[in-house]
Amino acid sequence: MCVSLTQNSEPEIFGEPAGADAATLTVVGRGSPVVFLHGWGLTPRVYGRSLSMLAQQGHRVVTPTLPGFGGTPDHPPEARTFAGYAAWLGRFLDDAGISEPVTLVGHSFGGGVAIQTAHDLPERVARLVLVNSVGGGAWSSDGWGIRPIGERPLWDWGASALGEALSIRTIAHTTASLVNGFLPNTLRDPGAVWRTAHLARRADLRHELGVLADRGLPVSLVWGRGDRTIPLASFESMRKALRNPPVLTVTGGHGWLIHDPTSFADAVRRSLRSP
């Protein structure tokens, strides 16, 4: 299923791209395609207001629901990696009839998928905007003792993610979206939810980021300063791997773009104008 949000309109359901194997939310606008990749445990519907605002700025926004979320089938075991998601996204773009290089905007887990896609399928990606993205290689429990991200305890990651989810839930306009996103994901396929959580928690994509820097791909980092899910040490390691790319910091936590669609649209606009 695809959903189109035109400016100042209610969602209008129309069919899905031929051969597509995932639900898709398409926000219709003008210009080159911007593909938005959602965060862990969520679906594109949670970001509806933010994506609509982005479309109003003249972008044609396409947002696939990633495998394992929103009722879409999980990957087979051999493809449950960021490389598997990147290959899936390439097929999705083919099915959607998008042949030109796209701007990938990835939030959280979606940022990891965006990084891997740009690395594996360079001809498909013109630019990256990474919003509070996974992929850094460092973690610290106190801001001082920096340790490899793979050593971050599950309980620490889970507590941070839960805190962010509850923060999102307190925003009235996202409550229904969260109930229609994270909870159904957990009930439909709890195994997929926790497999992707493990993948997100341990994501270290510094090598891939270094390759992107070598290629000269335009990459911008957008960072909510109050993020409790992605450690500051992880963000800083991403910036180092990219050799100090353009960085825009904003007020808010991990899900700030859901809370503040106007600031999100402005952040993407400014990122797309970066060198």
Side-chain angles (χ1 to χ4, degrees):
M1 175 184 297
C2 294
V3 179
S4 172
L5 294 181
T6 56
Q7 294 183 16
N8 301 317
S9 70
E10 294 299 319
E12 175 186 357
I13 297 176
F14 60 92
E16 64 180 3
D21 59 353
T24 306
L25 177 73
T26 301
V27 182
V28 176
R30 294 189 178 93
S32 58
V34 173
V35 177
F36 177 83
L37 302 176
H38 62 80
W40 174 81
L42 301 176
T43 72
R45 289 183 181 274
V46 177
Y47 304 86
R49 294 203 322 158
S50 298
L51 298 176
S52 181
M53 185 72 71
L54 196 59
Q56 290 177 26
Q57 292 194 348
H59 302 291
R60 178 162 54 100
V61 185
V62 179
T63 65
T65 303
L66 296 170
F69 301 106
T72 60
D74 195 8
H75 287 303
E78 68 276 8
R80 291 170 183 164
T81 62
F82 281 113
Y85 276 97
W88 176 90
L89 185 57
R91 295 192 298 271
F92 173 85
L93 294 174
D94 289 339
D95 291 341
I98 300 174
S99 58
E100 63 190 285
V102 303
T103 293
L104 284 182
V105 180
H107 173 229
S108 188
F109 181 83
V113 178
I115 294 167
Q116 192 73 55
T117 301
H119 175 272
D120 294 355
L121 306 173
E123 71 285 355
R124 308 304 299 262
V125 181
R127 178 184 289 268
L128 284 185
V129 180
L130 302 175
V131 184
N132 289 74
S133 174
V134 304
W139 165 75
S140 172
S141 60
D142 55 11
W144 295 98
I146 306 300
R147 299 163 62 184
I149 193 70
E151 295 181 8
R152 187 181 187 185
L154 179 60
W155 64 263
D156 181 83
W157 188 90
S160 300
L162 179 60
E164 289 286 354
L166 292 175
S167 172
I168 293 172
R169 193 181 185 281
T170 63
I171 306 301
H173 73 265
T174 63
T175 300
S177 295
L178 189 67
V179 170
N180 290 326
F182 179 76
L183 295 180
N185 283 339
T186 305
L187 294 174
R188 288 188 188 107
D189 193 347
V193 170
W194 293 113
R195 281 191 296 271
T196 51
H198 182 70
L199 185 61
R201 178 176 65 93
R202 298 175 60 86
D204 183 353
L205 299 170
R206 287 176 296 174
H207 170 74
E208 288 79 2
L209 290 167
V211 171
L212 299 182
D214 288 340
R215 292 177 184 166
L217 181 73
V219 182
S220 297
L221 300 180
V222 185
W223 176 254
R225 291 185 291 270
D227 196 340
R228 293 175 292 175
T229 300
I230 307 297
L232 178 60
S234 178
F235 166 75
E236 292 293 348
S237 72
M238 290 182 65
R239 180 158 66 173
K240 182 177 179 180
L242 286 166
R243 299 174 204 137
N244 295 316
V247 173
L248 176 63
T249 60
V250 300
T251 300
H254 190 65
W256 67 270
L257 63 166
I258 300 171
H259 303 172
D260 191 349
T262 300
S263 294
F264 170 64
D266 181 64
V268 173
R269 176 183 60 80
R270 293 171 63 182
S271 296
L272 296 183
R273 289 182 178 178
S274 298

